[in-house]
Amino acid sequence: AKGLELSDGAKAKAFFEEHFLPVRISRLGEGEGFVTGYYEPIVDGSRTENEVYKVPVYRRPSNLFVRGTTQGSVGLPNKGQVFRKIGRRKLVPYYDRAEIEDGAIADRGLEICFLKEQTDLLFSQIQGSARVSLDDGSTVRINYDAHNGYPYTAVGRILIERNIIPKDQMSMQKIREWMEENPNEADELRRQNKSYVFFREVQLSDKDEAVGAQGVPLTPGRSIAVDKSLHVYGTPFFIEGELPIESGLSKTPFRRLMIAQDTGSAIVGPARADLYFGAGLEAGQVAGRLRHNARFVILVPKSLDPVARARKMPVPDARPSETIAKLFPQTNPPKDQKNAAKLPETIPKN
């Protein structure tokens, strides 16, 4: 591709048609996938703590340990167990959000900068990066570097379950507005999400886009975050649907080639993507209202023909296997045993 002069859309289209095979993907038994949106927040901050800026943005602590990785690695995995080292050998779970907010790692020189509100930090952690406009006129760019090992809990889902915000009205803007109007309740709600993200400072200018997990700058409207356990960075996807791009009520036709360049702990499954919309308030408003079904087509290089490879793929035994069935006979078989025997006991989320 780098050796070609793809100067217009027709030539680019011909390139993909010649070299790739389109394969429709979705979860087993479902026809469509699911998309959300993300962006890079722009928040106010300061290098020094004061009465206005008092919420610390922490870099990764030296006693944070992830099995299978070295301490010097940049951008630790956002999944898996994370431990706190005590002495040379003892490992215990790392501090959760509440403990960190209460000062468990304060005054250790880990502060990159300070923000006005915990909500600003929470949204920066959810998005994985931020541009911090400092009170001296400069800007500091921060990117995801590690997390504390606890699974991510969506505060929006809790608000829906508590009948505070209707599901059809849920957006990041609605969450922010509710938190600003209910500061005490917001503290309790935020701590329901025990997951906590640590950042690293990156040398990017105000004009540069955030860097994704692939290690390259993201492109607004073209980069997506996918499930890294299933997909390879750089894979082209064609995503099609009707999304609220123009407004919260609009059904903007969306038919676009996207590139997998990022990941996220909440992005799980084959036909699941987070669409990157850029930086700032406007991008955040569009990203915040996306929770919609869409059709996914993955573009597979023809040299990796999935049909040919599938013929060689071993098929697992039906569940339960005859051996297990003899060891653990069912005294009260389910009414729908006929259908149950044809399906796996569970369908893994990823």
Side-chain angles (χ1 to χ4, degrees):
K2 287 183 177 180
L4 301 176
E5 293 185 8
L6 302 179
S7 55
D8 56 49
K11 290 181 179 179
K13 181 173 183 288
F15 168 79
F16 281 100
E17 289 178 345
E18 180 181 354
H19 295 285
F20 292 85
L21 181 72
V23 179
R24 180 81 173 269
I25 60 172
S26 66
R27 282 185 187 274
L28 186 64
E30 298 180 5
E32 295 185 319
F34 189 71
V35 297
T36 49
Y38 74 116
Y39 72 110
E40 186 180 24
I42 299 177
V43 297
D44 294 330
S46 174
R47 284 288 192 183
T48 57
E49 185 177 11
N50 53 52
E51 292 183 358
V52 177
Y53 302 103
K54 50 194 175 185
V55 177
V57 176
Y58 289 121
R59 60 175 52 87
R60 187 203 315 174
S62 60
N63 65 343
L64 185 146
F65 177 77
V66 181
R67 290 190 190 278
T69 63
T70 60
Q71 293 296 89
S73 301
V74 175
L76 296 182
N78 59 2
K79 295 179 182 179
Q81 290 183 302
V82 178
F83 300 95
R84 176 165 54 95
K85 294 180 74 173
I86 300 178
R88 290 188 175 183
R89 296 185 178 182
K90 187 175 181 180
L91 297 176
V92 297
Y94 209 80
Y95 300 115
D96 65 17
R97 176 175 295 276
E99 292 172 314
I100 294 173
E101 288 186 1
D102 288 339
I105 60 174
D107 303 321
R108 289 175 48 187
L110 298 172
E111 297 83 1
I112 296 175
C113 59
F114 296 85
L115 308 182
K116 285 183 178 179
E117 305 290 343
Q118 287 286 357
T119 306
D120 291 334
L121 177 61
L122 174 65
F123 276 75
S124 298
Q125 291 175 323
I126 292 172
Q127 303 306 316
S129 66
R131 306 183 188 201
V132 184
S133 299
L134 300 176
D135 52 0
D136 62 4
S138 62
T139 300
V140 60
R141 303 290 296 276
I142 54 176
N143 260 44
Y144 169 92
D145 192 38
H147 77 125
N148 64 340
Y150 290 86
Y152 170 74
T153 300
V155 294
R157 186 174 69 242
I158 297 175
L159 289 172
I160 293 172
E161 292 172 350
R162 294 178 179 179
N163 297 316
I164 295 174
I165 299 178
K167 185 177 181 180
D168 60 351
Q169 297 180 22
M170 177 55 64
S171 69
M172 285 187 283
Q173 186 62 31
K174 285 285 187 182
I175 296 173
R176 180 178 286 275
E177 290 173 357
W178 183 85
M179 285 185 163
E180 290 175 353
E181 295 170 0
N182 304 273
N184 294 331
E185 293 89 340
D187 288 344
E188 181 273 333
L189 173 67
R190 189 178 59 253
R191 291 177 176 217
Q192 295 297 311
N193 176 28
K194 295 184 177 182
S195 176
Y196 194 93
V197 167
F198 302 101
F199 291 98
R200 70 180 186 275
E201 188 173 345
V202 290
Q203 300 304 312
L204 295 172
S205 72
D206 291 347
K207 297 179 181 179
D208 294 326
E209 290 293 337
V211 175
Q214 187 185 15
V216 299
L218 302 174
T219 301
R222 294 293 178 181
S223 297
I224 58 174
V226 297
D227 188 339
K228 183 59 174 64
S229 66
L230 297 175
H231 299 299
V232 177
Y233 292 141
T235 300
F237 286 77
F238 193 83
I239 298 178
E240 182 181 10
E242 293 184 342
L243 306 179
I245 304 295
E246 302 298 330
S247 70
L249 299 176
S250 71
K251 294 184 178 181
T252 306
F254 189 92
R255 301 179 73 251
R256 188 172 296 183
L257 184 70
M258 314 288 283
I259 307 295
Q261 296 182 314
D262 207 356
T263 191
S265 58
I267 312 303
V268 179
R272 174 73 176 92
D274 219 5
L275 281 56
Y276 179 69
F277 284 95
L281 180 61
E282 185 175 343
Q285 289 175 340
V286 176
R289 53 182 179 246
L290 257 67
R291 293 184 58 83
H292 292 71
N293 292 329
R295 292 171 292 281
F296 280 66
V297 172
I298 185 173
L299 300 186
V300 182
K302 287 185 177 179
S303 59
L304 303 176
D305 185 350
V307 177
R309 295 201 168 208
R311 295 191 185 104
K312 301 178 181 179
M313 185 176 295
V315 178
D317 294 336
R319 298 184 184 180
S321 69
E322 292 184 11
T323 304
I324 295 176
K326 289 177 181 178
L327 292 173
F328 304 99
Q330 290 182 318
T331 53
N332 295 309
K335 293 180 181 179
D336 198 19
Q337 186 172 6
K338 237 180 174 181
N339 292 331
K342 297 178 182 179
L343 297 173
E345 292 174 349
T346 60
I347 299 174
K349 290 185 177 180
N350 53 333

